[in-house]
Structure formats: structure tokens, C-alpha cells
Amino acid sequence: MVKLDIIADPACPWCYVGKGYLDRALEKAGDHPFEIEYHPFQLRPDMPKGGMDRGELMEQVFGSKKRAAEAHVVLEEHAKNAGVTFNFEKITRSPNTFDAQRLIYWAGLEQRQAFVVSAIMKAYWAEGRDIGDHEVLIDIAKGCEMDPEMVRRLLESDADVDSIAKREAHSRHMGITSVPTFVVGNRHAVPGAQPTELWLDVMKDIASQDREESAE
């Protein structure tokens, strides 16, 4: 197996698109070679704990509603190819994703990480749910066969707060400034939402290398 580390923020639209492209490639490949692990990164670490009005944030980022709408059109075009859904009209809050990152980490310990990442991103981008809200995160955990009461207790505590902060700091120290970033085999960093075809080519290259090594 080849380690595929994914540094992502669930409130980043390109992370959602990038995951969609990768998922399509994995489905087409069938028996893929990757051992996948998600790692925390907050695009907006200074986001208030309770998040903020999304319309206000979009105007801060793009300067006008018109430019924000134009950016959404580009995202929706990619979403069609990636097999994901954006419902921007349903999203009223831009969340602080630190607790969502904690849930993703705990899910990894229970081998439920892929399901939880998908559920969190879908909840936010397709359903407009506030993924900074503990009740939403607990409901997502329950839907992914995690113990909801245990998750509640963990969220209400400081469990793994320092660990998540240190892991994000490590990524920044390694030079990662944007997400998604994919690291293949602890060697090759692939930034951005890459198309399905690129991932299929990567997997073909890995299979070819495996065959060459087996023949030696």
C-alpha cells in the first residue's frame, strides 16, 4: 500500500471538489493502492468559535456579491465533473472547523475517517448544516456508526486540542499554505483539486512500478 496523506479543511470548497475527483478515481480503479489519512488544516484559524455570516465572509473574500457569485459558478462546473453537490443558497454560516477536525481525527482511530469526512463535507456543502455546531457533529458521528455520547463528551472536553493544533502547525512548517494538498508516498506533494484522470494515471504508475520491482 502507498500512503496518501490529505491535508484538508472541510469548509474549503476545493477540498470538497478534490475529494470528489479522487473518489471517482478510486471507484473506477476498484482495488486501489492507497492507504488514506486526512490531516487537519484551517484556512481561517482566526474564525470566531461560533463562525460568522457566510454572506459577510464572501464579501470580505471577493469584494462583492457579484464576484462571489462568479466564483460559485466555477465551483459548480467542477462539482459536476467531481460528482459532488453545492447548495450555496442553503449555507448561512461559515464555521470554525476546529472541532470538525477533532471528529475527523477520532474517526481515524476507529477506521471511520473516510465516512466521516464525506458526511461532514456533504452536511455543509450540500445540506447547509453548521459543522461548527456540536449537535451537528454528534449527529454526523452517529450516522457513521460512532458512539454519539462518547463524541459528545470528547467535544465538551479539551480532548486532543493540543494534538490537532500541533499537527496543523507541522503542516504549515512543512510549507503547506493551501488546501487540499495531497502527499503521495511521503514524497510527492500534489496541491489543489486534481482531476480524476490524474489520479488514474498516478495509480497506473504505481502499478507499473510494482510490476517492475516484482520482476527484479
Side-chain angles (χ1 to χ4, degrees):
M1 299 295 285
V2 175
K3 186 72 183 298
L4 178 59
D5 294 294
I6 304 176
I7 298 92
D9 184 336
C12 162
W14 290 109
C15 291
Y16 185 41
V17 169
K19 183 180 185 305
Y21 278 134
L22 174 62
D23 287 346
R24 283 204 160 183
L26 299 180
E27 288 170 6
K28 288 183 177 181
D31 187 19
H32 68 80
F34 294 127
E35 176 190 347
I36 299 172
E37 182 178 0
Y38 281 84
H39 300 274
F41 194 96
Q42 283 188 288
L43 279 175
R44 304 186 183 285
D46 58 347
M47 177 68 71
K49 180 71 174 175
M52 67 181 294
D53 179 81
R54 179 169 169 79
E56 181 182 337
L57 177 62
M58 290 301 94
E59 287 205 40
Q60 288 181 13
V61 172
F62 294 103
S64 70
K65 291 182 180 179
K66 182 177 182 291
R67 291 182 64 187
E70 290 170 350
H72 287 169
V73 169
V74 174
L75 283 165
E76 286 172 340
E77 289 174 355
H78 279 274
K80 291 176 183 177
N81 294 326
V84 298
T85 301
F86 286 111
N87 283 314
F88 294 113
E89 70 280 358
K90 290 186 177 182
I91 305 171
T92 59
R93 301 290 295 174
S94 289
N96 181 306
T97 58
F98 191 86
D99 284 339
Q101 297 284 12
R102 286 204 292 163
L103 177 57
I104 290 169
Y105 171 70
W106 300 326
L109 300 177
E110 298 187 21
Q111 308 301 312
R112 309 300 297 167
Q113 196 175 67
F115 302 106
V116 168
V117 171
S118 293
I120 289 174
M121 288 185 173
K122 180 181 178 182
Y124 183 60
W125 292 111
E127 299 167 2
R129 303 175 73 187
D130 182 358
I131 57 171
D133 183 277
H134 284 187
E135 294 304 321
V136 171
L137 294 175
I138 291 163
D139 187 56
I140 289 170
K142 182 179 179 181
C144 293
E145 299 181 2
M146 295 178 68
D147 182 341
E149 292 309 313
M150 176 62 75
V151 170
R152 182 185 299 278
R153 289 195 293 272
L154 289 170
L155 286 171
E156 291 175 352
S157 73
D158 290 332
D160 294 305
V161 167
D162 290 343
S163 176
I164 297 299
K166 287 177 182 177
R167 294 179 73 194
E168 179 171 358
H170 174 72
S171 292
R172 294 184 187 275
H173 179 72
M174 295 299 291
I176 294 171
T177 58
S178 64
V179 288
T181 295
F182 303 84
V183 181
V184 182
N186 296 312
R187 295 172 61 189
H188 306 293
V190 182
Q194 300 298 328
T196 294
E197 290 72 22
L198 179 140
W199 289 114
L200 290 171
D201 287 343
V202 168
M203 286 185 275
K204 286 178 183 177
D205 288 344
I206 291 170
S208 177
Q209 290 173 13
D210 287 344
R211 286 193 296 270
E212 290 176 4
E213 290 174 1
S214 298
E216 291 178 356

